[in-house]
Amino acid sequence: MTKNILIVGVGGQGTLLTGRIIGNHAMTKGLDVKMSEVHGMAQRGGSVVMQVKYGKKVYSPLVEVGEADIIFAFEKLEALRYLPYLKENGVIIVNTQEIDPMPVVMGADKYTENILETLKAGCKDHCFINALTIAEEIGNVKVVNMIMIGAYAAYIGDSLEEWETIVEKTVPTKTIEMNKVALRKGYAAYMEK
């Protein structure tokens, strides 16, 4: 059975690296993997979307509206924006961080209110994690994505060890230990939800 994953966030949050790690993990299981990415002014805090599909045989990387088994969101407004892509019985894993989009920064709009309540109403299976706070406790806000990957690993019931191996092979050597700490913290946060 094919799994459709939508990874959404804002430029600089590690969205694309997360997609590569999930794809690499699926390949270690002997699965076919297809990925597609879309950058929307990513370097200026714009929306970034990574689509990952894996299964016995995958023909297209695109995840259509109503097809996502899992939405991974590194920012809650991005989670809300892509909620229509989630299957009826899908899961959404959300970092509760708020990053103001450009219209809000410029004062032309206000940040949407009650996002978590809307997400809860639109999705039976959800996990909200304050990954930014956990990353700050670790000492590096750039590990938010690893915290989220740890939560995903716990959600699908995998062992941390196999994910740590993938992380070791994917991230720069000098960041391995910090990323593994973040992975463990995300795993624990999901288990505590």
Side-chain angles (χ1 to χ4, degrees):
M1 184 170 153
T2 301
K3 282 284 183 196
N4 301 315
I5 302 173
L6 205 58
I7 305 164
V8 299
V10 172
Q13 288 189 293
T15 307
L16 304 180
L17 175 60
T18 299
R20 284 199 306 273
I21 289 171
I22 290 173
N24 289 345
H25 178 264
M27 285 190 285
T28 66
K29 306 273 188 185
L31 299 171
D32 187 21
V33 178
K34 299 283 187 290
M35 295 186 270
S36 174
E37 58 193 67
V38 177
H39 307 259
M41 301 269 299
Q43 293 178 340
R44 294 189 181 169
S47 183
V48 178
V49 181
M50 181 82 173
Q51 300 171 1
V52 180
K53 281 184 155 183
Y54 62 83
K56 198 168 187 176
K57 184 66 184 159
V58 178
Y59 297 96
S60 166
L62 301 180
V63 178
E64 302 292 337
V65 171
E67 284 188 350
D69 295 290
I70 299 163
I71 294 180
F72 233 86
F74 293 113
E75 197 277 341
K76 65 185 185 181
L77 185 58
E78 293 300 313
L80 182 63
R81 182 188 323 245
Y82 288 96
L83 186 61
Y85 285 80
L86 193 65
K87 281 183 177 176
E88 189 176 327
N89 59 347
V91 65
I92 190 162
I93 301 172
V94 182
N95 174 19
T96 58
Q97 182 176 357
E98 288 183 16
I99 298 175
D100 290 341
M102 199 51 67
V104 173
V105 171
M106 297 178 77
D109 204 353
K110 293 185 179 194
Y111 194 91
T112 304
E113 295 181 358
N114 304 315
I115 292 174
L116 297 181
E117 291 76 9
T118 304
L119 293 172
K120 284 178 188 176
C123 175
K124 293 180 220 161
D125 195 0
H126 54 270
C127 175
F128 302 141
I129 297 175
N130 190 339
L132 180 61
T133 297
I134 296 169
E136 288 170 344
E137 289 167 3
I138 293 169
N140 190 329
V141 296
K142 292 184 177 183
V143 296
V144 162
N145 61 337
M146 289 300 156
I147 294 163
M148 299 295 289
I149 290 169
Y152 172 72
Y155 165 72
I156 62 173
D158 278 352
S159 73
L160 265 173
E161 292 75 20
E162 58 187 283
W163 285 90
E164 287 177 343
T165 301
I166 300 297
V167 167
E168 286 171 7
K169 293 177 180 176
T170 310
V171 302
T173 306
K174 65 182 181 179
T175 68
I176 288 173
E177 283 312 310
M178 182 175 25
N179 280 305
K180 285 166 70 174
V181 167
L183 194 70
R184 291 182 203 120
K185 295 268 188 186
Y187 195 96
Y190 182 86
M191 298 306 279
E192 292 165 7
K193 81 168 187 81

